[in-house]
């Protein structure tokens, strides 16, 4: 089970680009990297998922270097509504292989 | 996500009572999960089910049981509630994503308080 390490918290201002890095040194060959966002008292919401290189969707980009030992979630031009907890998960949900939500990164966006 | 519903949304009960939390989904997903979240912590997996006849223990299954009544329904029971089971409980479903791994969809949560 790949252990992940993320910063506990980050602060940013509206309109800035925010990059949150997740370390996962023991990632396995068939593991994927998935990021979720959670607002207080709500269930997590899927943001983005990738295996290698770069993935981009309408809300974020995910950068994964060749060795896959880390990944970076990039949020372009954040707004106050992006204030939330962001979780990095590494693995696949299969029998005996449980995805683990760590403590996540608390992102605070200020005006 | 409105496609995953949980009932009740809030529940206060007493130690020793039996409690059932229910989850329904209209996404048509085979895979369903129950998590709990304690203040300031991430989510911990209690049980998961990959299809109607499949039940698997997660990270913290002691004190809990589940029932998968149909593809769309997955219930979590606390046979004899205790105060340290006070937490926010989430149900989730998943489907294999375009990138090749599961994407999970979470319900709104049930806030359970055991006195």
């Amino acid at each position: 089970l790949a252990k992940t390490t993320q910063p506990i918290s980050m602060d940013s201002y509206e309109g800035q680009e925010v990059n949150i890095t997740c370390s996962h040194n023991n990632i396995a060959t068939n593991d994927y990297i998935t990021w979720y966002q959670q607002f207080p008292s709500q269930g997590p919401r899927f943001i983005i998922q990738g295996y290698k290189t770069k993935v981009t969707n309408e809300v974020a980009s995910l950068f994964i270097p060749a060795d896959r030992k880390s990944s970076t979630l990039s949020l372009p031009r954040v707004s106050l509504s992006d204030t939330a907890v962001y979780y990095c998960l590494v693995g696949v949900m299969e029998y005996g292989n449980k995805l683990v939500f760590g403590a996540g990164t608390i992102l605070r966006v200020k005006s | 996500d409105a496609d995953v519903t949980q009932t009740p949304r809030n529940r206060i009960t007493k130690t020793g009572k039996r409690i059932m939390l229910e989850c329904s989904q209209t996404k048509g997903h085979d895979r369903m999960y129950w998590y709990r979240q304690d203040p300031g912590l991430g989510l911990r997996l209690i049980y998961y089910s990959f299809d109607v006849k499949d039940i698997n223990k997660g990270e913290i299954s002691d004190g809990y049981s589940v029932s998968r009544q149909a593809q769309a329904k997955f219930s979590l029971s606390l046979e004899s509630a205790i105060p340290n089971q006070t937490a926010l409980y989430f149900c989730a479903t998943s489907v294999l994503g375009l990138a090749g791994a599961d994407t999970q969809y979470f319900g709104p949560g049930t806030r359970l308080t055991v006195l």
Side-chain angles (χ1 to χ4, degrees):
Chain A
L1 187 65
K3 176 177 165 51
T4 60
T5 302
Q6 303 175 232
I8 294 174
S9 64
M10 297 180 66
D11 291 331
S12 183
Y13 289 92
E14 286 188 291
Q16 290 187 333
E17 178 185 75
V18 171
N19 296 308
I20 306 175
T21 297
C22 179
S23 297
H24 29 81
N25 290 321
N26 61 339
I27 188 169
T29 302
N30 62 343
D31 283 346
Y32 283 79
I33 300 157
T34 310
W35 286 80
Y36 288 85
Q37 174 193 56
Q38 186 181 26
F39 299 112
S41 297
Q42 294 186 25
R45 184 174 70 114
F46 171 84
I47 301 175
I48 198 166
Q49 184 179 83
Y51 184 81
K52 62 181 180 180
T53 62
K54 177 183 175 182
V55 179
T56 296
N57 61 23
E58 62 276 9
V59 298
S61 294
L62 178 60
F63 299 92
I64 306 168
D67 66 7
R68 304 204 323 126
K69 293 183 183 300
S70 67
S71 58
T72 299
L73 173 71
S74 182
L75 304 172
R77 298 179 299 283
V78 294
S79 64
L80 295 175
S81 63
D82 292 315
T83 294
V85 179
Y86 292 82
Y87 297 98
C88 165
L89 275 70
V90 174
V92 290
M93 182 58 80
E94 295 297 345
Y95 292 106
N97 189 15
K98 309 172 187 66
L99 289 175
V100 175
F101 282 80
T105 297
I106 300 171
L107 173 64
R108 300 185 190 89
V109 180
K110 304 173 184 177
S111 59
Chain B
D1 192 317
D3 298 324
V4 183
T5 58
Q6 294 183 231
T7 55
R9 293 295 312 280
N10 289 282
R11 182 72 183 269
I12 300 174
T13 191
K14 295 182 178 179
T15 297
K17 295 291 188 180
R18 184 178 187 274
I19 297 296
M20 179 180 285
L21 308 183
E22 299 189 1
C23 177
S24 295
Q25 54 114 346
T26 58
K27 288 193 162 292
H29 295 167
D30 287 327
R31 298 183 169 192
M32 298 188 73
Y33 312 82
W34 275 105
Y35 290 90
R36 70 174 276 176
Q37 185 172 35
D38 296 282
L41 300 179
L43 282 72
R44 291 184 290 171
L45 184 63
I46 306 173
Y47 272 95
Y48 61 103
S49 170
F50 283 175
D51 64 43
V52 175
K53 296 181 180 180
D54 178 69
I55 300 291
N56 304 281
K57 292 182 177 180
E59 183 183 355
I60 52 163
S61 60
D62 288 347
Y64 301 95
S65 62
V66 292
S67 173
R68 185 80 185 268
Q69 301 95 322
Q71 184 202 42
K73 296 185 181 298
F74 193 34
S75 300
L76 175 72
S77 293
L78 287 67
E79 297 301 326
S80 179
I82 56 177
N84 74 2
Q85 291 178 312
T86 292
L88 190 53
Y89 290 84
F90 290 105
C91 173
T93 71
S94 75
V95 65
L96 201 60
L98 293 176
D102 283 67
T103 298
Q104 295 189 60
Y105 297 85
F106 286 81
T110 294
R111 187 170 297 279
L112 176 66
T113 302
V114 183
L115 302 177

